[in-house]
Amino acid sequence: TSDEALQLRPAAAEALRAIDYEYRRADLLAVHHQQRSDRLFKAFSLMAAFMGFLFLVYAKIYPGKVFLAGYLVLFAAGFLMFSLATRRGWFTRHLMYRAIAESLRTRFYLSVAGVAPRGIEQHLMRLLGVRRIAGFSWIGHILRACTPFELGTTHDRHACFEWVRRTWIEDQHKYFSRKAHGLHHAHHRLERIKGYILAAMAIAVASLMIFKGFLSYNEVLGLPLKTYLVFLLGLVPFWLGVWEIYQAKMAIKELGWQYQNQLFHLERAASALRHPGNARRAVHILDDTAERLLADTYLWTVQRFHREHEPPAAG
């Protein structure tokens, strides 16, 4: 732990443990509500995809009432799920607790490094509009409760800076490197799959033009092959559209940009802190890095919130 590694005074160690405790609570709550909201987005996407499947089966394959009934059941279930999610506010709470957790994480490490708080969290929240989001205004009360203190370590400040560099800057750099690499790999894999699907659709359209007679007169289960091919040509683009909407709802592209921005700030700080020159320079680097990281986090919070909520009504 930090108090053992840096040999902190009991009062300073207790203050750090209090910040760490609040951070862990906020982080667990953020993960909990994120899992709920992510499952909800996935459920909506799967329901939309299956509704399209049922409708096209009814329109192109077999006009049975059971398919329309299934369509209506899914529509009603989706409406009820949306109403439940609106009341529970899983998505908004996920954003709120994530903002709290990242703010507390930053406050913890700046406190270890002996960087005096200057209210950058409050300033950025006002500047980026975080505090105007319903339910976010009380974040400031949590941060004000984390009062500044003197560490009183038995080592020089260089030991504090080294510990912060290793456990915060470099660990976070490794974390975002893994996340960015995984996101990049998944994106390219999905792009290849979409390319194969589009190529298959082009072949299917060409087959309809060239082998129209063959496809019209040869049947499977009482229906011509042309019917099945037209069904797939309607279903696959619809499913691709649902997937694109899901990707947009999850803000995958924006997430990739956030990872890259965080990596840039952390790599820059890690390099500068290896040879800071003096304590004043190290404090400046940490303070500047914290501000940049928090600005990205708060900007991400605002962007994600605005994706799911209408702007206030004029007048």
Side-chain angles (χ1 to χ4, degrees):
T1 61
S2 60
D3 54 316
E4 293 170 349
L6 299 173
Q7 299 181 11
L8 303 180
R9 293 183 308 167
E14 184 63 28
L16 281 176
R17 279 195 290 269
I19 299 175
D20 184 60
Y21 173 75
E22 294 298 333
Y23 160 75
R24 292 179 186 276
R25 257 203 331 178
D27 186 61
L28 286 173
L29 287 169
V31 171
H32 171 75
H33 287 97
Q34 181 182 17
Q35 290 173 344
R36 292 290 184 92
S37 62
D38 286 356
R39 283 198 292 264
L40 192 68
F41 284 133
K42 290 177 182 178
F44 281 141
S45 299
L46 290 173
M47 290 170 68
F50 199 57
M51 285 171 66
F53 172 79
L54 292 176
F55 181 80
L56 284 172
V57 169
Y58 174 83
K60 296 296 182 181
I61 304 296
Y62 178 71
K65 293 182 179 180
V66 64
F67 298 110
L68 287 181
Y71 184 94
L72 290 174
V73 167
L74 288 174
F75 182 83
F79 180 79
L80 291 175
M81 286 175 60
F82 179 79
S83 300
L84 176 65
T86 302
R87 290 197 301 270
R88 296 293 178 87
W90 290 321
F91 180 75
T92 302
R93 291 183 181 182
H94 151 55
L95 295 178
M96 178 178 64
Y97 286 119
R98 178 51 55 203
I100 293 173
E102 295 307 317
S103 301
L104 290 173
R105 185 210 300 270
T106 303
R107 175 64 61 88
F108 176 89
Y109 285 108
L110 290 182
S111 297
V112 171
V115 180
R118 55 184 181 89
I120 59 172
E121 301 97 342
Q122 305 284 9
H123 172 69
L124 290 172
M125 286 182 186
R126 286 193 298 268
L127 184 66
L128 299 174
V130 176
R131 296 185 65 176
R132 293 196 298 271
I133 300 175
F136 280 66
S137 59
W138 59 277
I139 296 178
H141 299 296
I142 296 177
L143 296 175
R144 278 192 292 271
C146 301
T147 55
F149 55 88
E150 294 294 331
L151 287 178
T153 63
T154 58
H155 299 295
D156 57 21
R157 295 190 70 182
H158 179 73
C160 298
F161 297 140
E162 275 297 299
W163 189 87
V164 169
R165 181 180 65 83
R166 291 195 309 271
T167 59
W168 180 32
I169 302 297
E170 293 192 351
D171 279 2
Q172 282 288 285
H173 185 273
K174 292 175 184 177
Y175 169 79
F176 281 112
S177 294
R178 291 193 302 269
K179 299 292 284 186
H181 177 75
L183 193 65
H184 180 77
H185 180 72
H187 171 74
H188 280 280
R189 184 176 66 248
L190 289 172
E191 287 298 315
R192 285 197 301 270
I193 293 173
K194 285 196 291 186
Y196 297 149
I197 292 174
L198 291 175
M201 289 179 60
I203 293 172
V205 172
S207 300
L208 278 175
M209 297 172 62
I210 298 172
F211 305 108
K212 181 179 179 181
F214 173 81
L215 295 171
S216 298
Y217 293 108
N218 286 273
E219 297 184 351
V220 174
L221 299 177
L223 291 174
L225 292 174
K226 178 184 175 182
T227 300
Y228 294 109
L229 197 56
V230 171
F231 169 77
L232 290 175
L233 286 173
L235 181 64
V236 172
F238 177 79
W239 278 358
L240 286 177
V242 170
W243 175 251
E244 288 295 331
I245 292 173
Y246 172 74
Q247 293 281 94
K249 283 288 185 182
M250 298 299 291
I252 300 299
K253 291 181 180 179
E254 290 88 343
L255 187 62
W257 279 110
Q258 191 209 20
Y259 288 163
Q260 292 299 327
N261 287 339
Q262 299 272 324
L263 276 172
F264 173 78
H265 301 320
L266 291 165
E267 186 173 0
R268 176 173 168 269
S271 176
L273 285 172
R274 290 189 184 97
H275 304 286
N278 54 59
R280 185 176 179 181
R281 173 62 178 164
V283 166
H284 173 74
I285 293 168
L286 288 172
D287 202 22
D288 180 68
T289 302
E291 184 171 359
R292 291 171 184 272
L293 294 176
L294 284 176
D296 277 340
T297 298
Y298 294 157
L299 184 61
W300 164 256
T301 299
V302 172
Q303 289 175 338
R304 291 293 286 122
F305 181 85
H306 289 168
R307 270 186 175 272
E308 303 304 320
H309 295 81
E310 292 293 331

